[in-house]
Amino acid sequence: MRTAKHPFGFIGCVELRQALDKHALDERELMDRLEEVPPGSVFYHTHGYFLRHRPLTTAYGNDFARWAAVEVRDQALAERLAVVDPFGFPDLELLREELVTIIHDHLRRLNTVPRAELGGAFHFQQSHIVQVELGPLATTLAEFRDGLAAVDASAIYFHMVEARTRLGRPSGDFAEWLRTSLELPALADRIERIDTYMTSLERVRARVLSLVDQALEEEAA
Amino acid sequence: MTRIDDYRQVAPPGVVDIILKLAERVRGRRFLHVSGGRFGGGAAEILRAVVPILCDMGIDTHWEITGGDPGFYTTTRALQAALEGAERVLADEALAHYVEMNRVNAKKLSFEADLVVVHDVQPATLVAQRSDGRWVWRCHFDCSRAQRRAWSFFRQFVAQYEAAVFSLPEFGRRLGVPQYIIYPSIDPLSEKNRELTPREVATILASLRLSQDKPLLVQIGPFTRAQDPLGVVNAYRLVKKHYDVRLVLAGTAGDERESLEVLAELREAAHHDPDIVVLELPPDAHLQINALQRGATIVLQKSLREGFGLGAAEAMWKGKPVVGGFGGGLAQQIISDVTGYTVHSVEGAAFRLRHLLNNPELIARMGTAGREHVRRTFLVTRNITDYLALLIHLSG
């Protein structure tokens, strides 16, 4: 069995949420505030959605779409925002631009600006991620598999989402380690292609495990 | 005493390990909570669960309380009500006395800590006598509609903290310090939430003279108009035309006029219908509340206005669907169509109750989803994780 040049350490995370003093009562205000908030807030309301809404409520894809659907009851805007895959953008500014453009285009076709019901304002937030090193280090694919099966789901989020978008590791930590330390490029490519959008962290874990199991079987054969 | 390992059986897998790892990182740092008392609900109920667990993990954690004379308590009650939006007259002398009493309190307390978390109004002005360490004001209520004058006075103290913590973003106000968001939590191992056998539930309900011979619709909460118990009675009446159910309204009556009026109106309604049961419970009736929620078929929490309010989370932890209003944190707790329904009206509540009674499999499915939602979001283990993250974030 191959042994990694560098061991893999699983890192879980805890999200400390911070309210920003930015609120929107209607869709125009949502668009205006969305242009002003720090990139961390765009990340929180899009990618962070998958850390918070597990496993029951990933129905809207991001907080903006959820707000449009639930608080404003504007299903058209909700659908257009929900389909934006945050993982499909190389940086947060491009994601922000896409979201603002969708809202702008939507408002252009309306005579009145849809407004949230009483008390249903959108409150912009951002988060601070506290990293937590978990479990023993993995030096083989089998050890990696065992670790992955046992770690808290926040580790899946950290290595597959946070690492890619905020920490400048576009392949994600799992694929990067498998490629560079275990020299398993084919498996790394398959894991890198996993669609993390509109699913739960547990499903992402199950998909990675299934690919790793397949690789272990091939190695044994 | 409960220990962190006891929570492995109820918390989501891996969470206790994360907490232990976070605890390792803050070992050697001192954590101090200050509140106005050790008893009752709100901050004290959460601290009674959180502090022993932090100590069990070897974190140097202390919980101090402030005291005062009757004038101090009268002023802090009025100030808190004003900060929650009620009309109150606050005399300058009374406010000065409040500040002075906390100056006296400060002399008796040691603030040697890396992070000092001061809860709610009573001890809030202690910050004027602060020492080293980071100071955070933890606000457990909604101060977004505070009386202007009361807020102007109070804000000068909040501004002296490094940060404030609110239960929801909409509960805060414009401040010059960072505002963090931490949901309150329930302790799944407490008397109010621990597992009870069906036999224990039956025995406790029998002691309340409550029979389980028909489906129980249960609302638990103070007898105030904000909780809309009369609206619940009207919703029940609409349901009763189609289903033979019993309504239980349980809560603690205060000695305020509004509470007594509401209770009298409910008793009048109950007088004409033996299936409306009004239970006045003492403040420490935790086991009875536990049994009532477990014995319920559906739990109502039709509040028009309240603080965060954890009644829905408590009921969902017991596997019950909740039909609730939009007040306070209900919209955060109830995932509509998944763990229950949020409703805007008496008719809406009746419609959802009928829908659930007509689809018993939905009751079971929503109950299961509700328990999982609470497991991930509203258990004390999540609260501890948040506090440790705050300690790490603020004290480096």
Side-chain angles (χ1 to χ4, degrees), chain B residues 87 110 237 385:
Chain B
E87 274 299 320
S110 164
R237 284 178 174 150
T385 308

Side-chain angles (χ1 to χ4, degrees), chain A residues 71-103:
Chain A
E71 306 294 349
V72 187
R73 309 210 175 213
D74 182 346
Q75 297 304 326
L77 180 63
E79 286 170 9
R80 294 187 68 186
L81 290 172
V83 83
V84 177
D85 175 358
F87 302 103
F89 292 82
D91 72 52
L92 291 166
E93 289 307 328
L94 289 172
L95 171 59
R96 184 206 305 262
E97 192 58 35
E98 176 68 10
L99 294 166
V100 168
T101 303
I102 287 173
I103 302 170

Side-chain angles (χ1 to χ4, degrees), chain A residues 12-19 21 54-57 73 117 123 125 128 130-135 152 154, chain B residues 13-15 18 21-22 25 169-170 174 178-181 183 335 344 369 373 376 385-386 389-390 392-393:
Chain A
C13 62
V14 176
E15 186 183 48
L16 181 63
R17 300 199 285 159
Q18 184 181 349
D21 192 17
R54 52 179 174 155
L56 298 170
T57 55
R73 309 210 175 213
E117 290 178 10
H123 304 277
Q125 299 178 60
H128 304 273
V130 176
Q131 300 179 20
V132 187
E133 289 176 18
L134 300 171
D152 179 65
S154 67
Chain B
V15 164
I18 290 228
K21 292 282 184 184
L22 288 169
R25 282 180 64 176
E170 51 265 49
R174 184 164 295 175
Q179 298 181 33
Y180 298 100
I181 305 301
Y183 292 156
I335 306 172
H344 292 79
H373 178 47
R376 296 195 176 274
T385 308
D386 286 345
L390 185 70
I392 290 167
H393 180 68

Side-chain angles (χ1 to χ4, degrees), chain A:
Chain A
M1 183 167 279
R2 288 167 204 257
T3 303
K5 291 179 205 156
H6 306 287
F8 187 87
F10 288 97
I11 296 174
C13 62
V14 176
E15 186 183 48
L16 181 63
R17 300 199 285 159
Q18 184 181 349
L20 302 172
D21 192 17
K22 305 254 181 224
H23 317 276
L25 274 167
D26 64 37
E27 290 178 357
R28 186 173 300 284
E29 286 180 5
L30 182 78
M31 182 178 73
D32 292 345
R33 299 292 95 74
L34 184 52
E35 286 195 288
E36 300 164 8
V37 292
S41 183
V42 178
F43 180 86
Y44 173 86
H45 292 295
T46 52
H47 300 75
Y49 184 87
F50 296 95
L51 180 62
R52 273 170 284 127
H53 294 259
R54 52 179 174 155
L56 298 170
T57 55
T58 42
Y60 298 103
N62 60 65
D63 289 336
F64 306 117
R66 186 201 161 277
W67 181 75
V70 176
E71 306 294 349
V72 187
R73 309 210 175 213
D74 182 346
Q75 297 304 326
L77 180 63
E79 286 170 9
R80 294 187 68 186
L81 290 172
V83 83
V84 177
D85 175 358
F87 302 103
F89 292 82
D91 72 52
L92 291 166
E93 289 307 328
L94 289 172
L95 171 59
R96 184 206 305 262
E97 192 58 35
E98 176 68 10
L99 294 166
V100 168
T101 303
I102 287 173
I103 302 170
H104 181 265
D105 185 58
H106 179 71
L107 288 174
R108 215 163 41 84
R109 299 165 194 216
L110 302 177
N111 294 324
T112 55
V113 178
R115 193 175 172 82
E117 290 178 10
L118 191 65
F122 188 93
H123 304 277
F124 283 88
Q125 299 178 60
Q126 64 182 9
S127 64
H128 304 273
I129 294 290
V130 176
Q131 300 179 20
V132 187
E133 289 176 18
L134 300 171
L137 299 173
T139 53
T140 65
L141 189 58
E143 286 174 1
F144 175 77
R145 195 245 177 250
D146 291 345
L148 181 66
V151 288
D152 179 65
S154 67
I156 314 293
Y157 174 82
F158 182 82
H159 294 298
M160 295 287 282
V161 178
E162 183 82 9
R164 278 173 162 169
T165 315
R166 280 214 286 203
L167 303 178
R169 304 194 286 258
S171 300
D173 292 340
F174 297 152
E176 188 63 23
W177 181 73
L178 291 167
R179 186 178 290 121
T180 58
S181 276
L182 265 190
E183 295 174 352
L184 294 169
L187 176 59
D189 288 347
R190 286 198 289 270
I191 289 175
E192 196 175 334
R193 280 200 298 270
I194 288 176
D195 182 8
T196 41
Y197 182 55
M198 287 306 289
T199 185
S200 70
L201 295 172
E202 288 304 336
R203 287 212 184 92
V204 173
R205 186 204 308 257
R207 283 178 202 162
V208 179
L209 281 174
S210 150
L211 290 171
V212 171
D213 284 343
Q214 207 180 317
L216 283 168
E217 279 168 25
E218 286 166 10
E219 198 174 72

